[in-house]
Amino acid sequence: MFPVNPDKKSFGKTLLNSALLLAGSIIFALNMNTFIAAGDLVPGGFSGLSILIQGLFQKYLNIEIPFSVLNIGFNLVPALIAFRLVGKRFTILSCFSIFLSSILVDLLPKYEIVDDPLLIAVFGAIFGAIGIVLILNSGASSGGTDFIAMSLAAKFQTSNSFTYMLLFSATVILIYGWQFGMDKALYSIIYQFCYTQVINTFYKRYKKKTLFIITEDPEQLSKALIEITNHSATVWPGDGAYTKKHRYVVYTVLSDNDIRKISRYISQNMPGTFVNVLNSDEVIGNFFIRPLD
């Protein structure tokens, strides 16, 4: 039997995730109305597409379309697909983040902090990435192309979908540069590069590591891995070179976040179990055994 978290602990975690989601959404909106607006930058994904459409309507038709109408509209169909393929809880939280941040972009005033385009690109990327990391750590995402990429990955068990979404973002940036100046597109590329690096530094969930676990009870450990981390494992029989006792080697690949979870379980429920963790630069194949709810 797995230990059941007390209601108080579960409530505290829910409260913390809600606070992270709220803070991340506010930071996202502030970044859109300060750094991105001041530098005339265009981020990747559907938020960048929304800014592009806004600019085109303003330039050629002199019509102002609210950011929230475009960004929420672009996310509707991908959200429905993600709800079925990726997970209900994840999609609902992500939709709340999209709705809140989009509305705040329209409600909050635009304010220019600095006028140097390079400073705007670099520090805007840092500020925006912090907001997204908070949202990701709450168990949600900023939606958009993330919905599409994760849905395709869940459906076809491929990681190439993320490459396609990157190409989509690059296309949006290039079209923006063609219409409003290539200098803005080039600074947007700097923004996007710094933004990605900050997220990769502070968000660890998709950084994979290989675990070799020596245990006397592989069945209990395998059940715990599936229940706690949504991953399975491969089990090999073995014998201790010194003790001559029969043991099992459990091999699996987990993210940093899942390693913390399973390590806590092992330390509390399986004393004497030995765990060796190795960095894994690349994993090919089905990483998750089923979509996460």
Side-chain angles (χ1 to χ4, degrees):
M1 294 292 293
F2 301 132
V4 179
N5 291 331
D7 291 340
K8 187 175 180 181
K9 183 176 180 181
S10 178
F11 175 77
K13 183 177 180 181
T14 300
L15 191 62
L16 174 61
N17 287 339
S18 299
L20 291 174
L21 185 63
L22 177 61
S25 299
I26 293 173
I27 291 174
F28 174 90
L30 288 173
N31 185 56
M32 292 289 289
N33 284 356
T34 52
F35 291 104
I36 290 178
D40 287 330
L41 302 178
V42 56
F46 283 170
S47 59
L49 180 60
S50 299
I51 291 176
L52 173 61
I53 299 299
Q54 274 187 310
L56 292 175
F57 268 78
Q58 179 65 37
K59 179 178 180 180
Y60 292 106
L61 300 175
N62 199 27
I63 297 175
E64 292 188 9
I65 302 178
F67 176 83
S68 57
V69 172
L70 293 169
N71 197 47
I72 294 173
F74 286 139
N75 277 281
L76 287 178
V77 174
L80 291 174
I81 297 173
F83 187 82
R84 293 183 55 194
L85 298 178
V86 180
K88 299 178 180 64
R89 180 180 178 276
F90 168 82
T91 306
I92 291 172
L93 288 175
S94 299
C95 287
F96 178 77
S97 172
I98 294 165
F99 180 82
L100 178 60
S101 59
S102 298
I103 294 297
L104 287 175
V105 169
D106 288 333
L107 293 178
L108 295 175
K110 290 181 169 57
Y111 180 77
E112 184 175 319
I113 298 176
V114 293
D115 58 4
D116 184 284
L118 184 58
L119 291 177
I120 288 173
V122 174
F123 285 94
I126 295 172
F127 188 58
I130 290 173
I132 296 302
V133 168
L134 292 177
I135 293 173
L136 291 171
N137 283 321
S138 74
S141 81
S142 58
T145 52
D146 287 346
F147 278 159
I148 299 175
M150 295 180 73
S151 297
L152 291 175
K155 179 68 174 178
F156 301 106
Q157 305 298 338
T158 177
S159 61
N160 291 336
S161 54
F162 291 93
T163 302
Y164 300 146
M165 294 307 102
L166 180 62
L167 293 174
F168 169 79
S169 295
T171 302
V172 170
I173 292 173
L174 289 175
I175 294 175
Y176 188 85
W178 169 52
Q179 287 293 313
F180 302 102
M182 286 307 298
D183 58 330
K184 296 178 177 61
L186 294 176
Y187 281 118
S188 295
I189 292 173
I190 294 174
Y191 170 92
Q192 199 66 32
F193 175 79
C194 297
Y195 174 86
T196 303
Q197 296 306 309
V198 174
I199 292 177
N200 288 339
T201 300
F202 291 103
Y203 186 61
K204 305 291 186 179
R205 178 173 179 178
Y206 295 111
K207 291 190 175 181
K208 305 172 186 67
K209 293 186 178 180
T210 299
L211 278 70
F212 290 94
I213 308 172
I214 312 300
T215 180
E216 296 179 350
D217 193 346
E219 183 176 352
Q220 178 186 355
L221 181 59
S222 297
K223 288 181 179 179
L225 282 167
I226 294 173
E227 181 69 22
I228 296 172
T229 71
N230 198 49
H231 294 274
S232 187
T234 300
V235 179
W236 301 317
D239 295 295
Y242 177 73
T243 63
K244 306 301 181 183
K245 292 183 177 179
H246 192 61
R247 297 284 191 273
Y248 294 90
V249 180
V250 179
Y251 167 86
T252 189
V253 178
L254 300 176
S255 66
D256 281 353
N257 187 47
D258 287 332
I259 288 175
R260 287 193 294 271
K261 293 178 183 178
I262 198 64
S263 297
R264 189 182 306 116
Y265 176 87
I266 290 173
S267 64
Q268 293 174 353
N269 300 277
M270 303 184 70
T273 299
F274 175 80
V275 182
N276 183 29
V277 182
L278 304 173
N279 289 323
S280 299
D281 294 331
E282 183 177 2
V283 176
I284 300 173
N286 188 5
F287 186 49
F288 294 105
I289 63 172
R290 66 180 187 272
L292 284 169
D293 288 330

